[in-house]
Amino acid sequence: MKIIFDKKLFKRHAPKKIQKVLSHYVDLIDGKEVVFNLPNNDTYGTLEYEYEGQNCELYPIHRNWCREEV
């Protein structure tokens, strides 16, 4: 099972300030896999993506901004 960033859930659950900060990236990261690999922290994950030829990492990604995909 994969955990996927979902822009609709992000817009529903993220605080307005965070939505504003990430507004230029939401379409770019929509549908990307989020990794929750810290053993005691299932709330926040990391998302890796490419932007203008650069590898980028975004943290924290809240679990309620994501959906599960089989």
Side-chain angles (χ1 to χ4, degrees), residues 3-68:
I3 307 295
I4 305 297
F5 181 86
D6 187 310
K7 73 177 177 182
K8 290 178 185 175
L9 293 173
F10 173 76
K11 289 179 179 181
R12 184 180 310 150
H13 297 290
K16 295 296 180 196
K17 285 185 177 183
I18 294 175
Q19 289 185 38
K20 185 175 181 178
V21 170
L22 296 179
S23 65
H24 299 291
Y25 302 98
V26 172
D27 288 330
L28 179 67
I29 63 176
D30 186 41
K32 300 283 186 191
E33 184 173 8
V34 179
V35 177
F36 293 84
N37 59 0
L38 301 175
N40 296 321
N41 185 353
D42 283 338
T43 303
Y44 300 105
T46 302
L47 186 151
E48 294 180 354
Y49 65 102
E50 188 174 311
Y51 180 73
E52 295 184 351
Q54 299 292 319
N55 291 327
C56 302
E57 187 174 275
L58 188 58
Y59 177 88
I61 300 294
H62 201 282
R63 186 174 281 280
N64 70 3
W65 304 347
C66 303
R67 60 182 160 78
E68 294 180 359

